[in-house]
């Protein structure tokens, strides 16, 4: 088989961090992101977020922040943090880890946090055992086109697949459209 790792899934949704001063971070400017924690490899050999301090969330009541969000919010590992989910639900999980980009990079002012997968599914997908997107990683020497062929053959009807290059280009195009109001 061309697939090197088990299927990896993601769940993405907006969730706002309430900083130690009681103010919501993001929202009026930079976006607020939440997802499930995954340590699956990123596309094209890139390294995504890695645990910088602490550990991954393992159960309900635990959360991880990105390094900038942790610093700007005033929270430290072991603190009970406050977050707003779905606009009205206030949660108070324990901050158990801080993730950062190993090769540099940032969310450019956006906040990011992650729960364990079952908690994310409960909060954002009405408890369904599902993901908003999923990806697979090829074994060394397998091209994206070879992997795509194998994945498409395994998908149930109604689902589509695309290569990592196409997905990255679509994401970049969407981002460029979102900031098209900016001028030099």
């Amino acid at each position: 088989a061309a697939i090197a790792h088990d299927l990896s899934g993601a769940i993405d949704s907006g969730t706002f961090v309430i900083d130690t001063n009681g103010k919501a971070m993001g929202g009026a400017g930079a976006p607020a992101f939440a997802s499930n924690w995954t340590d699956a490899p990123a596309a094209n050999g890139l390294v995504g977020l890695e645990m910088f301090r602490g550990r991954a969330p393992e159960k309900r009541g635990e959360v991880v922040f990105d390094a900038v969000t942790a610093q700007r919010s005033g929270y430290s590992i072991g603190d009970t943090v406050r977050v707003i989910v779905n606009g009205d639900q206030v949660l108070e999980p324990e901050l158990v880890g801080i993730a950062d980009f190993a090769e540099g990079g940032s969310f450019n002012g956006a906040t990011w946090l992650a729960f364990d997968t079952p908690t994310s599914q409960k909060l954002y997908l009405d408890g369904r055992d599902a993901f908003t997107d999923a990806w697979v990683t090829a074994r060394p020497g397998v091209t994206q086109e070879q992997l795509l062929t194998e994945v498409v053959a395994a998908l149930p009807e109604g689902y589509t697949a695309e290569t990592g290059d196409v997905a990255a280009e679509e994401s970049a195009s969407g981002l460029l459209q979102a900031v098209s109001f900016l001028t030099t």
Side-chain angles (χ1 to χ4, degrees), residues 58-91:
E58 298 171 350
K59 61 185 180 187
R60 185 176 181 193
E62 297 181 342
V63 71
V64 168
F65 286 175
D66 71 280
V68 174
T69 298
Q71 186 270 325
R72 285 181 44 226
S73 68
Y75 292 116
S76 299
I77 291 177
D79 288 348
T80 297
V81 302
R82 293 182 66 218
V83 297
I84 297 176
V85 179
N86 298 327
D88 62 355
Q89 185 178 4
V90 178
L91 301 179

PDB file of all heavy atoms in Angstrom, residues 58-91:
ATOM      1  N   GLU A  58      -5.376  14.840  26.582  1.00  0.00           N
ATOM      2  CA  GLU A  58      -5.706  13.414  26.552  1.00  0.00           C
ATOM      3  C   GLU A  58      -7.155  13.129  26.890  1.00  0.00           C
ATOM      4  O   GLU A  58      -7.651  12.035  26.637  1.00  0.00           O
ATOM      5  CB  GLU A  58      -4.801  12.657  27.538  1.00  0.00           C
ATOM      6  CG  GLU A  58      -3.336  12.757  27.179  1.00  0.00           C
ATOM      7  CD  GLU A  58      -2.419  12.194  28.257  1.00  0.00           C
ATOM      8  OE1 GLU A  58      -2.900  11.885  29.371  1.00  0.00           O
ATOM      9  OE2 GLU A  58      -1.214  12.064  27.970  1.00  0.00           O
ATOM     10  N   LYS A  59      -7.841  14.093  27.492  1.00  0.00           N
ATOM     11  CA  LYS A  59      -9.220  13.846  27.923  1.00  0.00           C
ATOM     12  C   LYS A  59      -9.962  15.167  28.033  1.00  0.00           C
ATOM     13  O   LYS A  59      -9.372  16.250  27.925  1.00  0.00           O
ATOM     14  CB  LYS A  59      -9.229  13.128  29.269  1.00  0.00           C
ATOM     15  CG  LYS A  59      -8.563  13.934  30.381  1.00  0.00           C
ATOM     16  CD  LYS A  59      -8.471  13.159  31.679  1.00  0.00           C
ATOM     17  CE  LYS A  59      -7.787  14.033  32.726  1.00  0.00           C
ATOM     18  NZ  LYS A  59      -7.516  13.308  33.945  1.00  0.00           N
ATOM     19  N   ARG A  60     -11.265  15.039  28.250  1.00  0.00           N
ATOM     20  CA  ARG A  60     -12.103  16.223  28.451  1.00  0.00           C
ATOM     21  C   ARG A  60     -11.539  17.047  29.599  1.00  0.00           C
ATOM     22  O   ARG A  60     -11.053  16.501  30.595  1.00  0.00           O
ATOM     23  CB  ARG A  60     -13.517  15.758  28.777  1.00  0.00           C
ATOM     24  CG  ARG A  60     -14.489  16.881  28.885  1.00  0.00           C
ATOM     25  CD  ARG A  60     -15.871  16.346  29.106  1.00  0.00           C
ATOM     26  NE  ARG A  60     -16.801  17.472  29.191  1.00  0.00           N
ATOM     27  CZ  ARG A  60     -18.025  17.367  29.609  1.00  0.00           C
ATOM     28  NH1 ARG A  60     -18.498  16.196  29.984  1.00  0.00           N
ATOM     29  NH2 ARG A  60     -18.803  18.418  29.661  1.00  0.00           N
ATOM     30  N   GLY A  61     -11.584  18.366  29.451  1.00  0.00           N
ATOM     31  CA  GLY A  61     -11.094  19.243  30.506  1.00  0.00           C
ATOM     32  C   GLY A  61      -9.637  19.618  30.350  1.00  0.00           C
ATOM     33  O   GLY A  61      -9.066  20.235  31.248  1.00  0.00           O
ATOM     34  N   GLU A  62      -9.027  19.269  29.196  1.00  0.00           N
ATOM     35  CA  GLU A  62      -7.624  19.630  28.931  1.00  0.00           C
ATOM     36  C   GLU A  62      -7.541  20.340  27.587  1.00  0.00           C
ATOM     37  O   GLU A  62      -8.306  20.036  26.667  1.00  0.00           O
ATOM     38  CB  GLU A  62      -6.734  18.388  28.916  1.00  0.00           C
ATOM     39  CG  GLU A  62      -6.687  17.677  30.247  1.00  0.00           C
ATOM     40  CD  GLU A  62      -5.794  16.448  30.242  1.00  0.00           C
ATOM     41  OE1 GLU A  62      -5.455  15.930  29.146  1.00  0.00           O
ATOM     42  OE2 GLU A  62      -5.435  15.988  31.336  1.00  0.00           O
ATOM     43  N   VAL A  63      -6.610  21.276  27.479  1.00  0.00           N
ATOM     44  CA  VAL A  63      -6.458  22.058  26.257  1.00  0.00           C
ATOM     45  C   VAL A  63      -4.995  22.407  26.039  1.00  0.00           C
ATOM     46  O   VAL A  63      -4.208  22.447  26.989  1.00  0.00           O
ATOM     47  CB  VAL A  63      -7.332  23.343  26.325  1.00  0.00           C
ATOM     48  CG1 VAL A  63      -6.780  24.349  27.328  1.00  0.00           C
ATOM     49  CG2 VAL A  63      -7.504  23.988  24.965  1.00  0.00           C
ATOM     50  N   VAL A  64      -4.651  22.646  24.782  1.00  0.00           N
ATOM     51  CA  VAL A  64      -3.316  23.106  24.384  1.00  0.00           C
ATOM     52  C   VAL A  64      -3.495  24.434  23.662  1.00  0.00           C
ATOM     53  O   VAL A  64      -4.436  24.602  22.884  1.00  0.00           O
ATOM     54  CB  VAL A  64      -2.657  22.077  23.432  1.00  0.00           C
ATOM     55  CG1 VAL A  64      -1.409  22.645  22.780  1.00  0.00           C
ATOM     56  CG2 VAL A  64      -2.334  20.804  24.176  1.00  0.00           C
ATOM     57  N   PHE A  65      -2.609  25.379  23.911  1.00  0.00           N
ATOM     58  CA  PHE A  65      -2.577  26.658  23.184  1.00  0.00           C
ATOM     59  C   PHE A  65      -1.326  26.699  22.325  1.00  0.00           C
ATOM     60  O   PHE A  65      -0.331  26.053  22.645  1.00  0.00           O
ATOM     61  CB  PHE A  65      -2.489  27.850  24.146  1.00  0.00           C
ATOM     62  CG  PHE A  65      -3.739  28.206  24.899  1.00  0.00           C
ATOM     63  CD1 PHE A  65      -3.693  29.211  25.858  1.00  0.00           C
ATOM     64  CD2 PHE A  65      -4.956  27.578  24.666  1.00  0.00           C
ATOM     65  CE1 PHE A  65      -4.821  29.573  26.575  1.00  0.00           C
ATOM     66  CE2 PHE A  65      -6.089  27.926  25.376  1.00  0.00           C
ATOM     67  CZ  PHE A  65      -6.029  28.940  26.334  1.00  0.00           C
ATOM     68  N   ASP A  66      -1.376  27.523  21.275  1.00  0.00           N
ATOM     69  CA  ASP A  66      -0.132  27.829  20.581  1.00  0.00           C
ATOM     70  C   ASP A  66       0.666  28.777  21.467  1.00  0.00           C
ATOM     71  O   ASP A  66       0.126  29.409  22.389  1.00  0.00           O
ATOM     72  CB  ASP A  66      -0.388  28.440  19.195  1.00  0.00           C
ATOM     73  CG  ASP A  66      -0.924  29.850  19.269  1.00  0.00           C
ATOM     74  OD1 ASP A  66      -2.132  30.028  19.503  1.00  0.00           O
ATOM     75  OD2 ASP A  66      -0.121  30.793  19.096  1.00  0.00           O
ATOM     76  N   ALA A  67       1.982  28.867  21.228  1.00  0.00           N
ATOM     77  CA  ALA A  67       2.883  29.618  22.111  1.00  0.00           C
ATOM     78  C   ALA A  67       2.501  31.095  22.216  1.00  0.00           C
ATOM     79  O   ALA A  67       2.537  31.680  23.305  1.00  0.00           O
ATOM     80  CB  ALA A  67       4.323  29.465  21.634  1.00  0.00           C
ATOM     81  N   VAL A  68       2.118  31.715  21.109  1.00  0.00           N
ATOM     82  CA  VAL A  68       1.792  33.142  21.138  1.00  0.00           C
ATOM     83  C   VAL A  68       0.504  33.376  21.916  1.00  0.00           C
ATOM     84  O   VAL A  68       0.409  34.315  22.713  1.00  0.00           O
ATOM     85  CB  VAL A  68       1.714  33.715  19.704  1.00  0.00           C
ATOM     86  CG1 VAL A  68       1.225  35.159  19.719  1.00  0.00           C
ATOM     87  CG2 VAL A  68       3.073  33.628  19.018  1.00  0.00           C
ATOM     88  N   THR A  69      -0.491  32.513  21.713  1.00  0.00           N
ATOM     89  CA  THR A  69      -1.741  32.653  22.464  1.00  0.00           C
ATOM     90  C   THR A  69      -1.490  32.484  23.959  1.00  0.00           C
ATOM     91  O   THR A  69      -2.015  33.249  24.777  1.00  0.00           O
ATOM     92  CB  THR A  69      -2.790  31.633  21.974  1.00  0.00           C
ATOM     93  OG1 THR A  69      -3.078  31.902  20.600  1.00  0.00           O
ATOM     94  CG2 THR A  69      -4.060  31.698  22.793  1.00  0.00           C
ATOM     95  N   ALA A  70      -0.678  31.500  24.325  1.00  0.00           N
ATOM     96  CA  ALA A  70      -0.360  31.295  25.741  1.00  0.00           C
ATOM     97  C   ALA A  70       0.305  32.536  26.324  1.00  0.00           C
ATOM     98  O   ALA A  70      -0.080  33.012  27.400  1.00  0.00           O
ATOM     99  CB  ALA A  70       0.542  30.074  25.911  1.00  0.00           C
ATOM    100  N   GLN A  71       1.265  33.086  25.614  1.00  0.00           N
ATOM    101  CA  GLN A  71       1.995  34.260  26.109  1.00  0.00           C
ATOM    102  C   GLN A  71       1.084  35.476  26.202  1.00  0.00           C
ATOM    103  O   GLN A  71       1.036  36.154  27.218  1.00  0.00           O
ATOM    104  CB  GLN A  71       3.198  34.533  25.182  1.00  0.00           C
ATOM    105  CG  GLN A  71       4.123  35.629  25.663  1.00  0.00           C
ATOM    106  CD  GLN A  71       3.728  36.998  25.143  1.00  0.00           C
ATOM    107  OE1 GLN A  71       3.255  37.138  24.023  1.00  0.00           O
ATOM    108  NE2 GLN A  71       3.914  38.005  25.959  1.00  0.00           N
ATOM    109  N   ARG A  72       0.302  35.735  25.141  1.00  0.00           N
ATOM    110  CA  ARG A  72      -0.555  36.925  25.114  1.00  0.00           C
ATOM    111  C   ARG A  72      -1.722  36.824  26.102  1.00  0.00           C
ATOM    112  O   ARG A  72      -2.195  37.838  26.606  1.00  0.00           O
ATOM    113  CB  ARG A  72      -1.095  37.147  23.698  1.00  0.00           C
ATOM    114  CG  ARG A  72      -0.042  37.697  22.746  1.00  0.00           C
ATOM    115  CD  ARG A  72      -0.581  37.941  21.329  1.00  0.00           C
ATOM    116  NE  ARG A  72      -1.876  38.573  21.314  1.00  0.00           N
ATOM    117  CZ  ARG A  72      -2.901  38.182  20.551  1.00  0.00           C
ATOM    118  NH1 ARG A  72      -2.783  37.156  19.741  1.00  0.00           N
ATOM    119  NH2 ARG A  72      -4.050  38.815  20.594  1.00  0.00           N
ATOM    120  N   SER A  73      -2.189  35.607  26.374  1.00  0.00           N
ATOM    121  CA  SER A  73      -3.343  35.438  27.260  1.00  0.00           C
ATOM    122  C   SER A  73      -2.972  35.559  28.731  1.00  0.00           C
ATOM    123  O   SER A  73      -3.834  35.810  29.570  1.00  0.00           O
ATOM    124  CB  SER A  73      -3.999  34.079  27.020  1.00  0.00           C
ATOM    125  OG  SER A  73      -3.141  33.035  27.456  1.00  0.00           O
ATOM    126  N   GLY A  74      -1.686  35.339  29.049  1.00  0.00           N
ATOM    127  CA  GLY A  74      -1.254  35.399  30.438  1.00  0.00           C
ATOM    128  C   GLY A  74      -1.332  34.074  31.173  1.00  0.00           C
ATOM    129  O   GLY A  74      -1.060  34.016  32.372  1.00  0.00           O
ATOM    130  N   TYR A  75      -1.713  32.998  30.472  1.00  0.00           N
ATOM    131  CA  TYR A  75      -1.834  31.697  31.113  1.00  0.00           C
ATOM    132  C   TYR A  75      -0.538  30.901  31.018  1.00  0.00           C
ATOM    133  O   TYR A  75       0.240  31.071  30.086  1.00  0.00           O
ATOM    134  CB  TYR A  75      -2.944  30.871  30.459  1.00  0.00           C
ATOM    135  CG  TYR A  75      -4.331  31.409  30.678  1.00  0.00           C
ATOM    136  CD1 TYR A  75      -5.092  31.852  29.605  1.00  0.00           C
ATOM    137  CD2 TYR A  75      -4.895  31.452  31.956  1.00  0.00           C
ATOM    138  CE1 TYR A  75      -6.384  32.332  29.795  1.00  0.00           C
ATOM    139  CE2 TYR A  75      -6.177  31.926  32.149  1.00  0.00           C
ATOM    140  CZ  TYR A  75      -6.917  32.370  31.064  1.00  0.00           C
ATOM    141  OH  TYR A  75      -8.185  32.840  31.262  1.00  0.00           O
ATOM    142  N   SER A  76      -0.352  29.989  31.974  1.00  0.00           N
ATOM    143  CA  SER A  76       0.786  29.063  32.000  1.00  0.00           C
ATOM    144  C   SER A  76       0.257  27.643  32.134  1.00  0.00           C
ATOM    145  O   SER A  76      -0.887  27.430  32.549  1.00  0.00           O
ATOM    146  CB  SER A  76       1.701  29.361  33.192  1.00  0.00           C
ATOM    147  OG  SER A  76       2.212  30.667  33.106  1.00  0.00           O
ATOM    148  N   ILE A  77       1.102  26.684  31.816  1.00  0.00           N
ATOM    149  CA  ILE A  77       0.716  25.281  31.962  1.00  0.00           C
ATOM    150  C   ILE A  77       0.279  25.022  33.404  1.00  0.00           C
ATOM    151  O   ILE A  77       0.920  25.476  34.348  1.00  0.00           O
ATOM    152  CB  ILE A  77       1.872  24.352  31.554  1.00  0.00           C
ATOM    153  CG1 ILE A  77       2.087  24.448  30.050  1.00  0.00           C
ATOM    154  CG2 ILE A  77       1.587  22.903  31.965  1.00  0.00           C
ATOM    155  CD1 ILE A  77       3.235  23.636  29.527  1.00  0.00           C
ATOM    156  N   GLY A  78      -0.826  24.321  33.547  1.00  0.00           N
ATOM    157  CA  GLY A  78      -1.394  24.023  34.860  1.00  0.00           C
ATOM    158  C   GLY A  78      -2.516  24.966  35.241  1.00  0.00           C
ATOM    159  O   GLY A  78      -3.294  24.662  36.158  1.00  0.00           O
ATOM    160  N   ASP A  79      -2.631  26.107  34.551  1.00  0.00           N
ATOM    161  CA  ASP A  79      -3.702  27.065  34.849  1.00  0.00           C
ATOM    162  C   ASP A  79      -5.040  26.567  34.327  1.00  0.00           C
ATOM    163  O   ASP A  79      -5.114  25.883  33.298  1.00  0.00           O
ATOM    164  CB  ASP A  79      -3.427  28.423  34.192  1.00  0.00           C
ATOM    165  CG  ASP A  79      -2.310  29.201  34.853  1.00  0.00           C
ATOM    166  OD1 ASP A  79      -1.880  28.815  35.963  1.00  0.00           O
ATOM    167  OD2 ASP A  79      -1.849  30.193  34.250  1.00  0.00           O
ATOM    168  N   THR A  80      -6.102  26.954  35.006  1.00  0.00           N
ATOM    169  CA  THR A  80      -7.447  26.782  34.476  1.00  0.00           C
ATOM    170  C   THR A  80      -7.710  27.988  33.596  1.00  0.00           C
ATOM    171  O   THR A  80      -7.587  29.129  34.043  1.00  0.00           O
ATOM    172  CB  THR A  80      -8.482  26.706  35.609  1.00  0.00           C
ATOM    173  OG1 THR A  80      -8.193  25.556  36.406  1.00  0.00           O
ATOM    174  CG2 THR A  80      -9.895  26.613  35.060  1.00  0.00           C
ATOM    175  N   VAL A  81      -8.018  27.733  32.335  1.00  0.00           N
ATOM    176  CA  VAL A  81      -8.230  28.814  31.367  1.00  0.00           C
ATOM    177  C   VAL A  81      -9.717  28.935  31.069  1.00  0.00           C
ATOM    178  O   VAL A  81     -10.497  28.033  31.376  1.00  0.00           O
ATOM    179  CB  VAL A  81      -7.441  28.560  30.068  1.00  0.00           C
ATOM    180  CG1 VAL A  81      -5.958  28.424  30.364  1.00  0.00           C
ATOM    181  CG2 VAL A  81      -7.959  27.342  29.322  1.00  0.00           C
ATOM    182  N   ARG A  82     -10.111  30.041  30.481  1.00  0.00           N
ATOM    183  CA  ARG A  82     -11.507  30.225  30.090  1.00  0.00           C
ATOM    184  C   ARG A  82     -11.568  30.389  28.583  1.00  0.00           C
ATOM    185  O   ARG A  82     -10.816  31.178  28.001  1.00  0.00           O
ATOM    186  CB  ARG A  82     -12.102  31.442  30.779  1.00  0.00           C
ATOM    187  CG  ARG A  82     -12.213  31.248  32.290  1.00  0.00           C
ATOM    188  CD  ARG A  82     -12.854  32.436  32.975  1.00  0.00           C
ATOM    189  NE  ARG A  82     -14.230  32.560  32.557  1.00  0.00           N
ATOM    190  CZ  ARG A  82     -14.835  33.735  32.347  1.00  0.00           C
ATOM    191  NH1 ARG A  82     -14.193  34.854  32.515  1.00  0.00           N
ATOM    192  NH2 ARG A  82     -16.087  33.775  31.962  1.00  0.00           N
ATOM    193  N   VAL A  83     -12.484  29.639  27.941  1.00  0.00           N
ATOM    194  CA  VAL A  83     -12.698  29.753  26.502  1.00  0.00           C
ATOM    195  C   VAL A  83     -14.201  29.767  26.231  1.00  0.00           C
ATOM    196  O   VAL A  83     -14.991  29.195  26.985  1.00  0.00           O
ATOM    197  CB  VAL A  83     -12.022  28.610  25.710  1.00  0.00           C
ATOM    198  CG1 VAL A  83     -10.519  28.652  25.891  1.00  0.00           C
ATOM    199  CG2 VAL A  83     -12.554  27.249  26.119  1.00  0.00           C
ATOM    200  N   ILE A  84     -14.580  30.459  25.151  1.00  0.00           N
ATOM    201  CA  ILE A  84     -15.982  30.512  24.734  1.00  0.00           C
ATOM    202  C   ILE A  84     -16.125  29.674  23.471  1.00  0.00           C
ATOM    203  O   ILE A  84     -15.418  29.896  22.487  1.00  0.00           O
ATOM    204  CB  ILE A  84     -16.446  31.951  24.462  1.00  0.00           C
ATOM    205  CG1 ILE A  84     -16.372  32.775  25.743  1.00  0.00           C
ATOM    206  CG2 ILE A  84     -17.867  31.966  23.896  1.00  0.00           C
ATOM    207  CD1 ILE A  84     -16.715  34.233  25.560  1.00  0.00           C
ATOM    208  N   VAL A  85     -17.033  28.727  23.498  1.00  0.00           N
ATOM    209  CA  VAL A  85     -17.275  27.818  22.382  1.00  0.00           C
ATOM    210  C   VAL A  85     -18.669  28.086  21.824  1.00  0.00           C
ATOM    211  O   VAL A  85     -19.625  28.263  22.586  1.00  0.00           O
ATOM    212  CB  VAL A  85     -17.179  26.345  22.851  1.00  0.00           C
ATOM    213  CG1 VAL A  85     -17.458  25.390  21.709  1.00  0.00           C
ATOM    214  CG2 VAL A  85     -15.814  26.072  23.458  1.00  0.00           C
ATOM    215  N   ASN A  86     -18.771  28.107  20.512  1.00  0.00           N
ATOM    216  CA  ASN A  86     -20.058  28.283  19.823  1.00  0.00           C
ATOM    217  C   ASN A  86     -20.799  29.543  20.264  1.00  0.00           C
ATOM    218  O   ASN A  86     -22.024  29.573  20.263  1.00  0.00           O
ATOM    219  CB  ASN A  86     -20.948  27.047  20.010  1.00  0.00           C
ATOM    220  CG  ASN A  86     -20.332  25.801  19.425  1.00  0.00           C
ATOM    221  OD1 ASN A  86     -19.621  25.859  18.425  1.00  0.00           O
ATOM    222  ND2 ASN A  86     -20.577  24.660  20.060  1.00  0.00           N
ATOM    223  N   GLY A  87     -20.050  30.553  20.647  1.00  0.00           N
ATOM    224  CA  GLY A  87     -20.640  31.849  20.962  1.00  0.00           C
ATOM    225  C   GLY A  87     -21.245  32.005  22.331  1.00  0.00           C
ATOM    226  O   GLY A  87     -21.465  33.122  22.776  1.00  0.00           O
ATOM    227  N   ASP A  88     -21.533  30.909  23.048  1.00  0.00           N
ATOM    228  CA  ASP A  88     -22.205  31.080  24.333  1.00  0.00           C
ATOM    229  C   ASP A  88     -21.790  30.093  25.423  1.00  0.00           C
ATOM    230  O   ASP A  88     -22.093  30.296  26.587  1.00  0.00           O
ATOM    231  CB  ASP A  88     -23.726  30.984  24.146  1.00  0.00           C
ATOM    232  CG  ASP A  88     -24.178  29.631  23.615  1.00  0.00           C
ATOM    233  OD1 ASP A  88     -23.326  28.786  23.289  1.00  0.00           O
ATOM    234  OD2 ASP A  88     -25.397  29.426  23.514  1.00  0.00           O
ATOM    235  N   GLN A  89     -21.094  29.040  25.065  1.00  0.00           N
ATOM    236  CA  GLN A  89     -20.705  28.024  26.046  1.00  0.00           C
ATOM    237  C   GLN A  89     -19.318  28.357  26.600  1.00  0.00           C
ATOM    238  O   GLN A  89     -18.351  28.419  25.867  1.00  0.00           O
ATOM    239  CB  GLN A  89     -20.698  26.647  25.374  1.00  0.00           C
ATOM    240  CG  GLN A  89     -20.431  25.512  26.320  1.00  0.00           C
ATOM    241  CD  GLN A  89     -20.483  24.165  25.606  1.00  0.00           C
ATOM    242  OE1 GLN A  89     -20.636  24.076  24.406  1.00  0.00           O
ATOM    243  NE2 GLN A  89     -20.346  23.105  26.376  1.00  0.00           N
ATOM    244  N   VAL A  90     -19.228  28.586  27.916  1.00  0.00           N
ATOM    245  CA  VAL A  90     -17.951  28.892  28.553  1.00  0.00           C
ATOM    246  C   VAL A  90     -17.386  27.609  29.152  1.00  0.00           C
ATOM    247  O   VAL A  90     -18.055  26.935  29.941  1.00  0.00           O
ATOM    248  CB  VAL A  90     -18.098  29.966  29.654  1.00  0.00           C
ATOM    249  CG1 VAL A  90     -16.760  30.226  30.334  1.00  0.00           C
ATOM    250  CG2 VAL A  90     -18.651  31.258  29.061  1.00  0.00           C
ATOM    251  N   LEU A  91     -16.165  27.274  28.754  1.00  0.00           N
ATOM    252  CA  LEU A  91     -15.472  26.113  29.296  1.00  0.00           C
ATOM    253  C   LEU A  91     -14.282  26.585  30.113  1.00  0.00           C
ATOM    254  O   LEU A  91     -13.717  27.656  29.852  1.00  0.00           O
ATOM    255  CB  LEU A  91     -14.972  25.207  28.167  1.00  0.00           C
ATOM    256  CG  LEU A  91     -16.014  24.651  27.213  1.00  0.00           C
ATOM    257  CD1 LEU A  91     -15.335  23.796  26.151  1.00  0.00           C
ATOM    258  CD2 LEU A  91     -17.067  23.854  27.944  1.00  0.00           C
TER     259      LEU A  91
END
